[in-house]
């Protein structure tokens, strides 16, 4: 099959609402700082939204943010996710296609509304997310586009989607499609709470279906039940051909086969908002892999994309990542 895309993302299709907030606001509304909290009551979501400061709205979700990064780098990206036939769903479809990401998954006609994530950002740059998943977890194997996956060099799976059995089956099916066409399958663990909820399933997926694994330090330690980063790294290298682990201001560690590199974070004067930092790091690395770059160059691209995203509010690049990479000769 002809390759049309560098990466095809599979994840929760969510409209993000991002606004500044104080620590007192988080405490008053029982929001866990720096974490993602699931909300199950649409009325509760509406009430919280009404009390938030004025913010910006963007089509989001972790894998969707990564695909936006791929597009900004000059790559070709596609996306598979579930929205509803409603106003937010229409906004998501229009906005993500406008930025150059191919998205045409059939919307849900009857059922929950389109997912949304209310992101409150404190002055220290920490993002605290309250997410109503709506119809997004209802994505199943039937929503997978085999042709789109087969036409992509890499299929990228978002760990946040892993809460329902249907989604777990869809992940395995997506990996099987990728293998059928000799493509790569990548996974991001997404969140330590996702790992704790689904540790056994994640381990099985990583060991048997994943070529490229993304995680931050806490997530990889949780996955392998250890408090030693180097031990977790070795476990991950045993399971996957390529491992990409982020360590906040300490940069990242990438391993592929017998090769291992440690890439420093790019110094930044002020961290404004960490929303999407891991998503955009993945964009840089995945684009590096898809374009045949060396391992260290992949890591540096990831660091550059994360650097851009934490310098402003929101999970989407405000500068051309392609231009930034060119200026730094990456």
């Amino acid at each position: 099959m002809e390759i049309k895309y560098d990466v095809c993302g599979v994840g929760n299709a969510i409209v993000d609402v991002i606004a500044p907030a104080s620590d007192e606001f988080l405490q008053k509304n029982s929001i866990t700082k720096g974490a993602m909290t699931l909300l199950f009551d649409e009325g509760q979501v509406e009430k919280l939204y009404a009390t938030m400061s004025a913010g910006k709205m963007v089509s989001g979700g972790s894998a969707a943010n990564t695909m936006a990064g791929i597009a900004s780098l000059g790559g070709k990206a596609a996306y598979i996710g579930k929205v509803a036939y409603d106003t937010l769903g229409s906004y998501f479809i229009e906005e993500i296609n406008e930025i150059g990401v191919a998205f045409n998954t059939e919307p849900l006609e009857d059922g929950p509304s389109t997912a949304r994530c209310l992101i409150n950002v404190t002055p220290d740059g920490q993002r605290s997310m309250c997410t109503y998943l709506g119809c997004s977890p209802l994505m199943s194997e039937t929503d997978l586009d085999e042709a789109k996956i087969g036409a992509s060099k890499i299929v990228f799976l978002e760990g946040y989607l892993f809460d329902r059995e249907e989604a777990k089956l869809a992940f395995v099916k997506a990996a099987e499609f990728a293998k059928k066409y000799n493509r790569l399958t990548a996974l991001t663990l997404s969140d330590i709470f996702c790992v704790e909820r689904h540790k056994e399933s994640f381990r099985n997926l990583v060991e048997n279906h994943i070529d490229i694994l993304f995680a931050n330090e806490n997530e990889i330690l949780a996955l392998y039940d250890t408090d030693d980063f180097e031990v977790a790294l070795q476990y991950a290298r045993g399971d996957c051909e390529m491992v990409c682990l982020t360590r906040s201001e300490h940069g990242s560690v990438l391993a592929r086969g017998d090769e291992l590199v440690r890439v420093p974070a790019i110094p930044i004067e002020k961290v404004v908002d960490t929303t999407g930092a891991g998503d955009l790091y993945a964009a840089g690395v995945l684009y590096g892999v898809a374009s045949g770059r060396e391992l260290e160059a992949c890591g540096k691209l990831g660091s550059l994309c994360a650097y851009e995203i934490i310098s402003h509010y929101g999970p989407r690049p405000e500068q051309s990542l392609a231009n930034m990479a060119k200026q730094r000769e990456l």
Side-chain angles (χ1 to χ4, degrees):
M1 183 179 291
E2 180 187 357
I3 292 177
K4 296 181 180 179
Y5 307 106
D6 293 300
V7 187
C8 176
V10 180
N12 277 319
I14 300 174
V15 175
D16 288 336
V17 180
I18 306 152
S22 64
D23 287 300
E24 289 75 21
F25 178 85
L26 301 185
Q27 293 168 5
K28 182 178 179 181
N29 289 278
S30 302
I31 298 171
T32 304
K33 185 172 181 177
M36 192 280 286
T37 303
L38 287 176
L39 301 179
F40 300 97
D41 182 348
E42 192 165 356
Q44 183 185 6
V45 176
E46 294 294 344
K47 183 178 179 181
L48 178 59
Y49 175 65
T51 65
M52 288 171 59
S53 302
K56 61 190 295 186
M57 189 166 70
V58 64
S59 65
S62 176
N65 294 336
T66 301
M67 296 309 101
I70 298 286
S72 182
L73 283 161
K76 295 181 179 179
Y79 183 69
I80 299 170
K82 200 74 173 174
V83 296
Y85 269 117
D86 57 21
T87 302
L88 286 178
S90 297
Y91 175 85
F92 186 99
I93 294 168
E94 180 179 352
E95 201 268 348
I96 198 168
N97 278 285
E98 275 183 0
I99 63 171
V101 179
F103 174 65
N104 61 354
T105 309
E106 189 67 24
L108 182 70
E109 291 195 47
D110 297 306
S113 60
T114 297
R116 72 216 63 177
C117 182
L118 307 181
I119 305 172
N120 288 282
V121 185
T122 41
D124 58 2
Q126 284 289 306
R127 80 278 190 272
S128 306
M129 300 177 288
C130 293
T131 303
Y132 171 68
L133 292 175
C135 70
S136 64
L138 300 182
M139 199 202 78
S140 66
E141 295 175 68
T142 59
D143 294 304
L144 293 176
D145 187 332
E146 180 178 352
K148 190 174 283 184
I149 291 171
S152 304
K153 294 178 183 177
I154 305 168
V155 60
F156 178 62
L157 308 175
E158 173 194 321
Y160 278 132
L161 189 59
F162 216 56
D163 271 313
R164 287 175 60 94
E165 201 61 37
E166 293 88 341
K168 293 177 184 178
L169 294 173
F171 272 20
V172 172
K173 178 61 72 174
E176 289 173 347
F177 283 154
K179 186 175 182 179
K180 176 180 176 180
Y181 296 99
N182 200 28
R183 312 305 188 206
L184 296 173
T185 301
L187 169 73
T188 174
L189 294 182
S190 292
D191 186 278
I192 188 170
F193 297 115
C194 290
V195 177
E196 294 290 0
R197 284 196 299 271
H198 309 292
K199 190 173 298 185
E200 186 176 340
S201 296
F202 266 135
R203 281 185 176 175
N204 180 65
L205 183 68
V206 168
E207 183 178 353
N208 296 297
H209 299 286
I210 301 304
D211 301 297
I212 305 171
L213 178 65
F214 289 90
N216 66 26
E217 185 167 0
N218 289 334
E219 291 158 5
I220 204 68
L221 293 176
L223 183 67
Y224 292 109
D225 283 321
T226 179
D227 56 5
D228 188 318
F229 177 80
E230 298 299 329
V231 169
L233 171 61
Q234 293 309 312
Y235 279 132
R237 294 180 74 179
D239 284 341
C240 303
E241 171 61 24
M242 182 169 173
V243 180
C244 315
L245 305 179
T246 56
R247 309 187 80 180
S248 299
E249 69 273 15
H250 301 299
S252 62
V253 178
L254 298 92
R256 182 164 56 187
D258 295 330
E259 186 181 5
L260 186 143
V261 296
R262 299 179 190 270
V263 177
I266 299 174
I268 186 168
E269 187 173 322
K270 178 176 173 55
V271 175
V272 176
D273 175 16
T274 56
T275 307
D279 304 336
L280 270 292
Y281 174 84
V285 173
L286 289 170
Y287 182 68
V289 172
S291 55
R293 285 167 166 80
E294 296 294 324
L295 187 62
E296 185 174 14
C298 293
K300 287 181 176 179
L301 267 179
S303 291
L304 179 65
C305 295
Y307 165 82
E308 195 282 338
I309 217 69
I310 64 177
S311 67
H312 57 78
Y313 280 113
R316 296 291 174 82
E318 292 186 349
Q319 301 181 59
S320 165
L321 295 178
N323 288 342
M324 290 178 69
K326 186 176 180 180
Q327 289 168 6
R328 291 174 181 255
E329 299 183 340
L330 292 175

